[in-house]
Amino acid sequence: MARRFRFEGSWLVDAPPERVAAVLVDLAGYPSWWPEVVAVASLGPDDARALCRSRLPYTLDLVLHAESREAPELRVSVGGDLRGTVAWLVEPGSQGDTRLRLDQEVEVAGRLFGAVASVAGPLLRWNHEAMMRSGLAGLRRRLRTAAGSRGI
């Protein structure tokens, strides 16, 4: 029993696309600015394991494989507790900022978690939205901090 989810989002970030992309491709740095990404371990040049926990009392164990690290599209395939893809589209905005778009398509893996997802879809969407709000706030803080340390 599996459950598929598609998450999309679009934001403006007050930093140039090159800086935004550099932060997003640095998976090892995620725990320093995204509170729900509790740990990231490198599994090789294109692979990492990430542990993520938002509001619900469950930690997702994800294995990520880089498919594209070049803007405008940053893309990873996902394995572990979820299977699918996550892509960030990083494009120049109109005033030196960045238009950032998320496109995530995943399927819940595992029989128990899949069964729970089948009945708890709205709760899992709420959990994901909370994680994304926090991640966006953390990304904006990280970019402001990086700009301040460079005197930009």
Side-chain angles (χ1 to χ4, degrees):
M1 197 181 230
R3 178 69 191 239
R4 291 179 181 258
F5 292 90
R6 181 175 185 130
F7 300 104
E8 297 174 304
S10 184
W11 305 276
L12 279 176
V13 180
D14 189 21
E18 309 78 47
R19 287 199 13 243
V20 174
V23 171
L24 291 175
V25 298
D26 179 20
L27 291 177
Y30 276 44
S32 70
W33 58 267
W34 197 336
E36 290 78 9
V37 179
V38 296
V40 175
S42 175
L43 300 176
D46 293 327
D47 302 288
R49 181 177 182 197
L51 301 177
C52 302
R53 184 180 181 126
S54 188
R55 305 297 185 261
L56 296 177
Y58 184 80
T59 301
L60 290 173
D61 188 351
L62 306 174
V63 177
L64 309 173
H65 175 73
E67 293 181 1
S68 172
R69 290 191 183 129
E70 297 295 324
E73 185 180 56
L74 313 174
R75 175 181 291 273
V76 296
S77 58
V78 180
D81 288 336
L82 303 175
R83 287 188 219 124
T85 60
V86 178
W88 293 103
L89 187 61
V90 181
E91 297 179 309
S94 61
Q95 299 178 349
D97 53 4
T98 298
R99 284 189 310 258
L100 185 59
R101 191 178 82 210
L102 169 76
D103 185 16
Q104 179 178 357
E105 290 189 55
V106 293
E107 178 178 291
V108 176
R111 292 167 67 169
L112 177 60
F113 194 37
V116 169
S118 295
V119 296
L123 190 59
L124 295 176
R125 286 185 182 286
W126 166 82
N127 194 59
H128 184 270
E129 289 168 9
M131 180 171 176
M132 294 310 297
R133 277 192 309 274
S134 177
L136 180 59
L139 176 62
R140 286 177 169 150
R141 277 190 306 274
R142 171 72 179 94
L143 291 165
R144 276 193 308 271
T145 302
S149 67
R150 293 182 198 186
I152 297 173

